[in-house]
Amino acid sequence: MDLIRIIIAILLPPLGVFLQVGFGGAFWLNILLTLLGYIPGIVHAVWIIAKR
């Protein structure tokens, strides 16, 4: 299941984080990072998924 979440995180980083943690602080941080730059959003999403 983590592999699917990582693939989703590469395509749509906030969705990958949402599937992992819901509407927590990490989700909103990821939206901000994705808006500031797509790559930081991907890195953060993969980090959140791999950490849990």
Side-chain angles (χ1 to χ4, degrees), residues 11-34:
L11 299 174
L12 294 168
L15 180 58
V17 174
F18 173 74
L19 292 174
Q20 187 71 26
V21 298
F23 282 115
F27 172 74
W28 298 109
L29 177 61
N30 190 266
I31 286 182
L32 179 65
L33 288 171
T34 303

Side-chain angles (χ1 to χ4, degrees), residues 31-50:
I31 286 182
L32 179 65
L33 288 171
T34 303
L35 290 175
L36 293 175
Y38 190 67
I39 301 297
I42 292 173
V43 171
H44 178 256
V46 170
W47 180 69
I48 290 292
I49 292 168

